Amino acid sequence: MTKLSVNINKVATLRNARGGNNPDVLQAAVDCEKFGAQGITVHPRPDERHIRYQDVRDISPRITTEFNIEGNPIDRFVALVLEVKPTQVTLVPDADNQLTSNHGWDTLANRTFLTDVIGRFREAGIRTSVFVDAVPEMVEGAKTCGADRVELYTEPYASGYALCREEALKPFVEAAKVAREAGLGLNAGHDLSLVNLNYFHRNIPWLDEVSIGHALICDAIYMGLHSTIQAYLECLK
């Protein structure tokens, strides 16, 4: 079964737009689990423009399913992860001022750095996933660095879906097969939605987890959070 991890960054973005605590990010995490999500994802950035480091500390003891912390492993981020000890940490090569994730790691050029960071998390008993483009060499490189999983950056699939979904999917199937052959767990995320998720899942049914935030929270504005999470879970059946 492929798990649905809900990224609640956009809930924090809305809260931060006005200050205060409305909407309540912690309550949103608890409610996502109550409504069926099998995991919660947060992606704190250095400027804390949405999820704050304190949010991460507050959420961790309140959820009972998987907790996934994404981010660029700068010193402050590494310290936070080692403090909180989530189920999973996902390493993403974001620049400080980057609007959103837009590429995966070059796991060959960054082999020494990633091997060191992954080793620290492994010693702490934290499953580590590396965010990569759908390129076999990058998947294999993640394995060499000691990763437990890779997360495929799916924006190219999502953007090409309407034009030709078969062609858009091809590199992801290839990369997913390489991950399976290498013994890596497989996650996917970025711009997956109710439009394109089911086709992706049907063709790569050995996916361990999808992490979805922006599209899901946008859908929840119209459908409600409970109904939206159920709709995404239907896509994964």
Side-chain angles (χ1 to χ4, degrees):
M1 177 180 175
T2 303
K3 293 183 177 180
L4 171 66
S5 185
V6 176
N7 186 321
I8 58 172
N9 275 26
K10 286 300 184 292
V11 177
T13 300
L14 185 58
R15 174 200 62 189
N16 295 352
R18 286 288 295 270
N21 195 41
N22 187 25
D24 186 326
V25 172
L26 176 56
Q27 189 60 50
V30 172
D31 286 342
C32 285
E33 284 195 339
K34 182 172 67 176
F35 298 153
Q38 295 108 345
I40 299 296
T41 292
V42 292
H43 189 147
R45 286 185 165 85
D47 61 6
E48 299 188 86
R49 63 180 181 269
H50 32 63
I51 286 291
R52 300 168 182 153
Y53 275 50
Q54 188 56 46
D55 291 329
V56 179
R57 297 184 179 97
D58 293 341
I59 291 167
S60 181
R62 289 290 304 278
I63 61 174
T64 59
T65 55
E66 292 198 357
F67 192 28
N68 172 45
I69 305 177
E70 298 181 342
N72 194 329
I74 60 174
D75 290 345
R76 186 182 176 208
F77 178 87
V78 171
L80 177 70
V81 173
L82 292 175
E83 173 192 343
V84 173
K85 290 185 171 61
T87 313
Q88 176 176 269
V89 57
T90 301
L91 308 183
V92 183
D94 285 337
D96 287 355
N97 60 349
Q98 197 164 314
L99 180 62
T100 188
S101 305
N102 60 16
H103 65 284
W105 284 97
D106 183 332
T107 56
L108 304 181
N110 294 281
R111 177 179 175 180
T112 300
F113 173 72
L114 288 172
T115 299
D116 178 66
V117 172
I118 292 168
R120 294 180 66 184
F121 292 140
R122 182 182 290 275
E123 287 178 5
I126 303 167
R127 185 175 73 224
T128 305
S129 178
V130 177
F131 194 66
V132 296
D133 297 316
V135 177
E137 291 79 9
M138 297 301 108
V139 174
E140 292 167 346
K143 175 67 174 181
T144 302
C145 292
D148 301 295
R149 294 186 182 183
V150 289
E151 178 174 331
L152 299 180
Y153 169 54
T154 49
E155 190 279 333
Y157 162 73
S159 62
Y161 181 87
L163 183 63
C164 181
R165 65 183 188 176
E166 292 83 3
E167 288 299 317
L169 185 69
K170 278 183 180 180
F172 292 88
V173 173
E174 182 181 359
K177 288 178 178 177
V178 170
R180 184 172 60 180
E181 291 165 1
L184 288 166
L186 183 65
N187 300 340
H190 209 285
D191 287 350
L192 294 174
S193 69
L194 291 176
V195 173
N196 58 45
L197 177 59
N198 182 258
Y199 184 74
F200 191 89
H201 179 253
R202 281 192 285 114
N203 285 277
I204 311 176
W206 61 93
L207 273 171
D208 290 296
E209 173 187 296
V210 292
S211 175
I212 304 177
H214 183 79
L216 190 150
I217 299 302
C218 289
D219 289 333
I221 293 173
Y222 300 97
M223 299 168 58
L225 187 58
H226 188 181
S227 296
T228 299
I229 289 174
Q230 291 302 307
Y232 276 87
L233 291 171
E234 282 293 321
C235 290
L236 297 173
K237 288 185 176 179

Tab-separated table of all heavy atoms in Angstrom, residues 188-223:
chain	number	residue	atom	x	y	z
A	188	ALA	N	7.615	9.734	-3.868
A	188	ALA	CA	7.441	10.664	-4.978
A	188	ALA	C	6.725	11.902	-4.480
A	188	ALA	O	5.899	11.826	-3.571
A	188	ALA	CB	6.644	10.016	-6.120
A	189	GLY	N	7.033	13.035	-5.088
A	189	GLY	CA	6.346	14.250	-4.675
A	189	GLY	C	6.699	15.459	-5.507
A	189	GLY	O	7.774	15.537	-6.093
A	190	HIS	N	5.805	16.366	-5.575
A	190	HIS	CA	5.852	17.704	-6.179
A	190	HIS	C	4.904	17.777	-7.370
A	190	HIS	O	5.122	17.156	-8.404
A	190	HIS	CB	7.259	18.124	-6.615
A	190	HIS	CG	7.441	19.622	-6.565
A	190	HIS	ND1	6.896	20.474	-7.509
A	190	HIS	CD2	8.045	20.426	-5.669
A	190	HIS	CE1	7.191	21.724	-7.208
A	190	HIS	NE2	7.885	21.724	-6.078
A	191	ASP	N	3.834	18.529	-7.155
A	191	ASP	CA	2.799	18.780	-8.163
A	191	ASP	C	1.962	17.553	-8.513
A	191	ASP	O	1.248	17.549	-9.523
A	191	ASP	CB	3.386	19.391	-9.440
A	191	ASP	CG	3.787	20.853	-9.240
A	191	ASP	OD1	3.421	21.419	-8.187
A	191	ASP	OD2	4.463	21.423	-10.123
A	192	LEU	N	2.023	16.514	-7.695
A	192	LEU	CA	1.049	15.432	-7.845
A	192	LEU	C	-0.307	15.940	-7.380
A	192	LEU	O	-0.404	16.741	-6.443
A	192	LEU	CB	1.467	14.216	-7.018
A	192	LEU	CG	2.752	13.524	-7.478
A	192	LEU	CD1	3.152	12.429	-6.513
A	192	LEU	CD2	2.590	12.965	-8.893
A	193	SER	N	-1.371	15.490	-8.054
A	193	SER	CA	-2.702	16.043	-7.805
A	193	SER	C	-3.766	14.992	-8.085
A	193	SER	O	-3.465	13.882	-8.537
A	193	SER	CB	-2.936	17.263	-8.707
A	193	SER	OG	-3.059	16.845	-10.069
A	194	LEU	N	-5.015	15.363	-7.864
A	194	LEU	CA	-6.126	14.468	-8.183
A	194	LEU	C	-6.204	14.178	-9.673
A	194	LEU	O	-6.767	13.165	-10.093
A	194	LEU	CB	-7.446	15.074	-7.708
A	194	LEU	CG	-7.649	15.145	-6.191
A	194	LEU	CD1	-8.964	15.868	-5.869
A	194	LEU	CD2	-7.637	13.755	-5.560
A	195	VAL	N	-5.626	15.029	-10.490
A	195	VAL	CA	-5.644	14.831	-11.940
A	195	VAL	C	-4.661	13.746	-12.366
A	195	VAL	O	-4.967	12.899	-13.208
A	195	VAL	CB	-5.317	16.157	-12.664
A	195	VAL	CG1	-5.159	15.932	-14.171
A	195	VAL	CG2	-6.386	17.202	-12.385
A	196	ASN	N	-3.458	13.748	-11.778
A	196	ASN	CA	-2.386	12.898	-12.312
A	196	ASN	C	-1.897	11.794	-11.377
A	196	ASN	O	-1.093	10.967	-11.778
A	196	ASN	CB	-1.196	13.772	-12.731
A	196	ASN	CG	-0.657	14.615	-11.579
A	196	ASN	OD1	-0.472	14.130	-10.464
A	196	ASN	ND2	-0.388	15.892	-11.854
A	197	LEU	N	-2.379	11.760	-10.143
A	197	LEU	CA	-1.833	10.825	-9.163
A	197	LEU	C	-2.168	9.370	-9.466
A	197	LEU	O	-1.306	8.494	-9.384
A	197	LEU	CB	-2.327	11.200	-7.760
A	197	LEU	CG	-1.900	10.269	-6.623
A	197	LEU	CD1	-0.382	10.190	-6.519
A	197	LEU	CD2	-2.504	10.744	-5.300
A	198	ASN	N	-3.405	9.087	-9.821
A	198	ASN	CA	-3.803	7.698	-10.017
A	198	ASN	C	-3.028	7.034	-11.149
A	198	ASN	O	-2.597	5.884	-11.020
A	198	ASN	CB	-5.307	7.609	-10.283
A	198	ASN	CG	-5.763	6.169	-10.455
A	198	ASN	OD1	-5.988	5.700	-11.568
A	198	ASN	ND2	-5.889	5.457	-9.336
A	199	TYR	N	-2.834	7.736	-12.244
A	199	TYR	CA	-2.089	7.169	-13.371
A	199	TYR	C	-0.650	6.873	-12.972
A	199	TYR	O	-0.097	5.818	-13.321
A	199	TYR	CB	-2.127	8.137	-14.557
A	199	TYR	CG	-1.462	7.607	-15.801
A	199	TYR	CD1	-2.075	6.632	-16.573
A	199	TYR	CD2	-0.218	8.089	-16.195
A	199	TYR	CE1	-1.459	6.130	-17.719
A	199	TYR	CE2	0.411	7.613	-17.332
A	199	TYR	CZ	-0.210	6.628	-18.093
A	199	TYR	OH	0.402	6.137	-19.223
A	200	PHE	N	-0.050	7.774	-12.227
A	200	PHE	CA	1.319	7.579	-11.752
A	200	PHE	C	1.391	6.334	-10.869
A	200	PHE	O	2.262	5.476	-11.042
A	200	PHE	CB	1.765	8.816	-10.966
A	200	PHE	CG	3.230	8.862	-10.652
A	200	PHE	CD1	4.129	9.437	-11.541
A	200	PHE	CD2	3.723	8.340	-9.469
A	200	PHE	CE1	5.485	9.488	-11.259
A	200	PHE	CE2	5.074	8.374	-9.168
A	200	PHE	CZ	5.962	8.952	-10.072
A	201	HIS	N	0.445	6.218	-9.958
A	201	HIS	CA	0.451	5.106	-9.013
A	201	HIS	C	0.164	3.766	-9.703
A	201	HIS	O	0.784	2.744	-9.373
A	201	HIS	CB	-0.582	5.360	-7.910
A	201	HIS	CG	-0.674	4.259	-6.915
A	201	HIS	ND1	-1.744	3.376	-6.872
A	201	HIS	CD2	0.170	3.866	-5.937
A	201	HIS	CE1	-1.545	2.509	-5.895
A	201	HIS	NE2	-0.400	2.785	-5.309
A	202	ARG	N	-0.762	3.765	-10.646
A	202	ARG	CA	-1.095	2.518	-11.332
A	202	ARG	C	0.093	1.951	-12.100
A	202	ARG	O	0.240	0.739	-12.254
A	202	ARG	CB	-2.268	2.738	-12.292
A	202	ARG	CG	-3.617	2.769	-11.607
A	202	ARG	CD	-4.768	2.703	-12.584
A	202	ARG	NE	-4.971	3.959	-13.296
A	202	ARG	CZ	-4.797	4.113	-14.606
A	202	ARG	NH1	-4.415	3.092	-15.347
A	202	ARG	NH2	-5.013	5.291	-15.178
A	203	ASN	N	0.950	2.834	-12.585
A	203	ASN	CA	2.094	2.394	-13.371
A	203	ASN	C	3.355	2.168	-12.544
A	203	ASN	O	4.303	1.546	-13.025
A	203	ASN	CB	2.365	3.407	-14.484
A	203	ASN	CG	1.353	3.314	-15.606
A	203	ASN	OD1	1.477	2.475	-16.495
A	203	ASN	ND2	0.324	4.152	-15.557
A	204	ILE	N	3.355	2.674	-11.311
A	204	ILE	CA	4.473	2.422	-10.391
A	204	ILE	C	3.856	2.003	-9.055
A	204	ILE	O	3.911	2.727	-8.052
A	204	ILE	CB	5.368	3.670	-10.225
A	204	ILE	CG1	5.750	4.259	-11.589
A	204	ILE	CG2	6.639	3.324	-9.439
A	204	ILE	CD1	6.547	5.545	-11.503
A	205	PRO	N	3.251	0.829	-9.006
A	205	PRO	CA	2.483	0.440	-7.818
A	205	PRO	C	3.344	0.101	-6.607
A	205	PRO	O	2.802	-0.061	-5.507
A	205	PRO	CB	1.707	-0.799	-8.302
A	205	PRO	CG	2.534	-1.356	-9.413
A	205	PRO	CD	3.138	-0.163	-10.095
A	206	TRP	N	4.667	0.006	-6.782
A	206	TRP	CA	5.526	-0.303	-5.642
A	206	TRP	C	5.980	0.968	-4.901
A	206	TRP	O	6.855	0.916	-4.038
A	206	TRP	CB	6.725	-1.129	-6.078
A	206	TRP	CG	7.640	-0.503	-7.082
A	206	TRP	CD1	8.772	0.224	-6.825
A	206	TRP	CD2	7.523	-0.569	-8.515
A	206	TRP	NE1	9.361	0.622	-7.996
A	206	TRP	CE2	8.623	0.144	-9.046
A	206	TRP	CE3	6.607	-1.168	-9.383
A	206	TRP	CZ2	8.816	0.288	-10.423
A	206	TRP	CZ3	6.802	-1.028	-10.750
A	206	TRP	CH2	7.887	-0.316	-11.263
A	207	LEU	N	5.372	2.086	-5.208
A	207	LEU	CA	5.641	3.318	-4.460
A	207	LEU	C	5.383	3.101	-2.970
A	207	LEU	O	4.341	2.584	-2.580
A	207	LEU	CB	4.715	4.433	-4.940
A	207	LEU	CG	5.106	5.298	-6.120
A	207	LEU	CD1	3.923	6.162	-6.530
A	207	LEU	CD2	6.302	6.163	-5.778
A	208	ASP	N	6.307	3.541	-2.144
A	208	ASP	CA	6.094	3.476	-0.701
A	208	ASP	C	5.251	4.646	-0.196
A	208	ASP	O	4.411	4.476	0.694
A	208	ASP	CB	7.434	3.482	0.039
A	208	ASP	CG	8.202	2.183	-0.164
A	208	ASP	OD1	7.694	1.144	0.280
A	208	ASP	OD2	9.289	2.222	-0.766
A	209	GLU	N	5.465	5.822	-0.772
A	209	GLU	CA	4.831	7.019	-0.208
A	209	GLU	C	4.789	8.141	-1.245
A	209	GLU	O	5.710	8.295	-2.043
A	209	GLU	CB	5.655	7.472	1.012
A	209	GLU	CG	5.265	8.780	1.642
A	209	GLU	CD	6.270	9.173	2.727
A	209	GLU	OE1	6.362	8.421	3.733
A	209	GLU	OE2	6.980	10.173	2.562
A	210	VAL	N	3.710	8.902	-1.214
A	210	VAL	CA	3.657	10.163	-1.948
A	210	VAL	C	3.477	11.284	-0.932
A	210	VAL	O	2.742	11.145	0.046
A	210	VAL	CB	2.534	10.199	-3.002
A	210	VAL	CG1	2.832	9.233	-4.120
A	210	VAL	CG2	1.174	9.913	-2.385
A	211	SER	N	4.177	12.376	-1.159
A	211	SER	CA	4.073	13.558	-0.295
A	211	SER	C	3.408	14.660	-1.109
A	211	SER	O	3.934	15.078	-2.144
A	211	SER	CB	5.469	13.990	0.164
A	211	SER	OG	5.404	15.188	0.908
A	212	ILE	N	2.236	15.109	-0.653
A	212	ILE	CA	1.449	16.070	-1.432
A	212	ILE	C	0.993	17.208	-0.526
A	212	ILE	O	0.427	16.966	0.547
A	212	ILE	CB	0.239	15.382	-2.087
A	212	ILE	CG1	0.704	14.202	-2.940
A	212	ILE	CG2	-0.553	16.380	-2.927
A	212	ILE	CD1	-0.421	13.415	-3.584
A	213	GLY	N	1.236	18.420	-0.969
A	213	GLY	CA	0.871	19.572	-0.168
A	213	GLY	C	0.059	20.605	-0.914
A	213	GLY	O	-1.129	20.777	-0.670
A	214	HIS	N	0.680	21.286	-1.862
A	214	HIS	CA	0.042	22.449	-2.494
A	214	HIS	C	-1.303	22.094	-3.120
A	214	HIS	O	-2.315	22.738	-2.839
A	214	HIS	CB	0.980	23.037	-3.548
A	214	HIS	CG	0.439	24.266	-4.203
A	214	HIS	ND1	0.478	25.507	-3.612
A	214	HIS	CD2	-0.182	24.445	-5.402
A	214	HIS	CE1	-0.081	26.399	-4.420
A	214	HIS	NE2	-0.494	25.779	-5.508
A	215	ALA	N	-1.322	21.079	-3.978
A	215	ALA	CA	-2.571	20.725	-4.665
A	215	ALA	C	-3.628	20.270	-3.669
A	215	ALA	O	-4.811	20.621	-3.787
A	215	ALA	CB	-2.315	19.634	-5.702
A	216	LEU	N	-3.216	19.490	-2.677
A	216	LEU	CA	-4.180	18.968	-1.710
A	216	LEU	C	-4.810	20.083	-0.885
A	216	LEU	O	-6.032	20.103	-0.681
A	216	LEU	CB	-3.478	17.943	-0.807
A	216	LEU	CG	-4.357	17.110	0.120
A	216	LEU	CD1	-3.717	15.742	0.362
A	216	LEU	CD2	-4.607	17.803	1.452
A	217	ILE	N	-4.009	21.021	-0.427
A	217	ILE	CA	-4.552	22.121	0.371
A	217	ILE	C	-5.432	23.022	-0.495
A	217	ILE	O	-6.482	23.521	-0.046
A	217	ILE	CB	-3.423	22.923	1.031
A	217	ILE	CG1	-2.606	22.012	1.977
A	217	ILE	CG2	-3.970	24.115	1.796
A	217	ILE	CD1	-3.421	21.345	3.070
A	218	CYS	N	-5.057	23.219	-1.760
A	218	CYS	CA	-5.916	23.995	-2.673
A	218	CYS	C	-7.258	23.297	-2.874
A	218	CYS	O	-8.315	23.940	-2.850
A	218	CYS	CB	-5.214	24.199	-4.008
A	218	CYS	SG	-3.822	25.336	-3.964
A	219	ASP	N	-7.238	21.993	-3.087
A	219	ASP	CA	-8.483	21.240	-3.245
A	219	ASP	C	-9.342	21.322	-1.993
A	219	ASP	O	-10.576	21.371	-2.068
A	219	ASP	CB	-8.176	19.769	-3.551
A	219	ASP	CG	-7.600	19.558	-4.938
A	219	ASP	OD1	-7.888	20.373	-5.828
A	219	ASP	OD2	-6.856	18.574	-5.111
A	220	ALA	N	-8.700	21.345	-0.836
A	220	ALA	CA	-9.444	21.383	0.426
A	220	ALA	C	-10.234	22.681	0.598
A	220	ALA	O	-11.238	22.703	1.318
A	220	ALA	CB	-8.485	21.190	1.598
A	221	ILE	N	-9.820	23.745	-0.060
A	221	ILE	CA	-10.579	24.998	0.004
A	221	ILE	C	-11.992	24.791	-0.531
A	221	ILE	O	-12.963	25.337	-0.011
A	221	ILE	CB	-9.849	26.108	-0.786
A	221	ILE	CG1	-8.526	26.459	-0.095
A	221	ILE	CG2	-10.731	27.351	-0.924
A	221	ILE	CD1	-7.672	27.423	-0.889
A	222	TYR	N	-12.104	23.973	-1.563
A	222	TYR	CA	-13.394	23.741	-2.209
A	222	TYR	C	-14.109	22.496	-1.678
A	222	TYR	O	-15.330	22.479	-1.552
A	222	TYR	CB	-13.197	23.595	-3.722
A	222	TYR	CG	-12.586	24.804	-4.362
A	222	TYR	CD1	-11.219	24.863	-4.615
A	222	TYR	CD2	-13.362	25.908	-4.693
A	222	TYR	CE1	-10.646	25.991	-5.190
A	222	TYR	CE2	-12.795	27.038	-5.273
A	222	TYR	CZ	-11.432	27.071	-5.514
A	222	TYR	OH	-10.872	28.188	-6.069
A	223	MET	N	-13.329	21.471	-1.364
A	223	MET	CA	-13.923	20.179	-1.025
A	223	MET	C	-13.971	19.901	0.474
A	223	MET	O	-14.683	18.993	0.907
A	223	MET	CB	-13.116	19.056	-1.703
A	223	MET	CG	-13.098	19.135	-3.215
A	223	MET	SD	-11.849	18.019	-3.951
A	223	MET	CE	-12.371	16.430	-3.307
